[in-house]
Amino acid sequence: MDEKKHSPIESAGSPGKVYLVGGGPGDPELLTLKAVRLLGGADAVVYDNLVSAAVLAHAGKQAELLYVGKKAGNHTLPQIDINQLLVDLGRQGKQVVRLKGGDPYIFGRGGEEAETLHAAGIPFEVVPGVTSACGAAAYAGIPLTHRDHAQSCLFVTGHLKDETCNLDWPTLARPGQTLVIYMGLTSLGQICSQLIAHGMPADTPIACIRRATLPDQRTLIGTLTDLPGRVASVGFKPPALLIVGGVVTLHDRLDWFSAQFSAQIVAD
Ligand code: SAH
């Protein structure tokens, strides 16, 4: 039997290694088999606030759990210290899972962590995860591409550094595409008005999906004109994604997930 293949993680005494692992958007069943195997055998799991409790529950009992926080504008541990922590744990010979929400290489700063590990000579691997755009699209019934609505899809971040809005608005406002905006909740009003100012019709449908794939997922649908007001009136807080474009109109028919929960509430 191939020992290595069947052991949850490399045996103790081997040099340390850091695994940058995508934890997906929240539903633990969206974890990869590789993520589950690595979590089960890790000596240390370094995670942030986007990692759901149900995902973290896959860490083995022996694992030291290290919370490093991370919310827009409010980092519990600065990125540079997170990078150093990973290097230190690797140097101690530990098998480390750096567990990140969604996919490590999509707005997750996984690239910076991998660069630091490379520079320090610490062996690492990257395990992709379901990015929240894909999780939200699937669970809110909004296909990101569709032959009737969008032939391309852009992932952008709405997190505005120093309050300045440096997105490429003319490109974002083009027809025939879907926009997915990560970290766009606080600048939602500005995003909608800029898209309209750059030629996107004011009645373009837009969805805001909060805590996608989790049992308390909520979706608000509106237009570029009225969604900011609706979101403000219900007091949505991050994490939430924005999806803009004709594909949003499919939500009415394809929203299998919340339909499942309302059916359950009726049945209870
Ligand atoms: N690497 C992550 C993104 C990190 S940036 C990924 O691939 O998904 C953080 C942003 O991701 C949040 O502000 C929010 O816009 C989005 N996000 C992450 N998880 C989410 C979830 N469950 N529901 C909605 N948005 C989510």
Side-chain angles (χ1 to χ4, degrees), residues 16-41:
K17 189 159 184 178
V18 179
Y19 298 85
L20 304 179
V21 177
D27 180 347
E29 291 200 313
L30 297 178
L31 281 170
T32 60
L33 294 175
K34 191 164 185 178
V36 170
R37 176 174 64 83
L38 293 171
L39 276 167

Side-chain angles (χ1 to χ4, degrees), residues 24-27 50 70 72 100-109 129-136 157 181-185 209-214 217 238-242:
D27 180 347
L50 276 178
K70 220 183 217 188
K100 303 169 89 61
D103 180 84
Y105 277 177
I106 297 196
F107 304 126
R109 304 189 73 171
V130 173
T131 188
S132 49
C134 295
T157 171
I181 305 169
Y182 290 69
M183 295 173 275
L185 201 54
I209 303 124
R210 176 165 195 268
R211 287 179 58 79
T213 79
L214 290 157
Q217 167 180 313
L241 274 177
L242 305 171

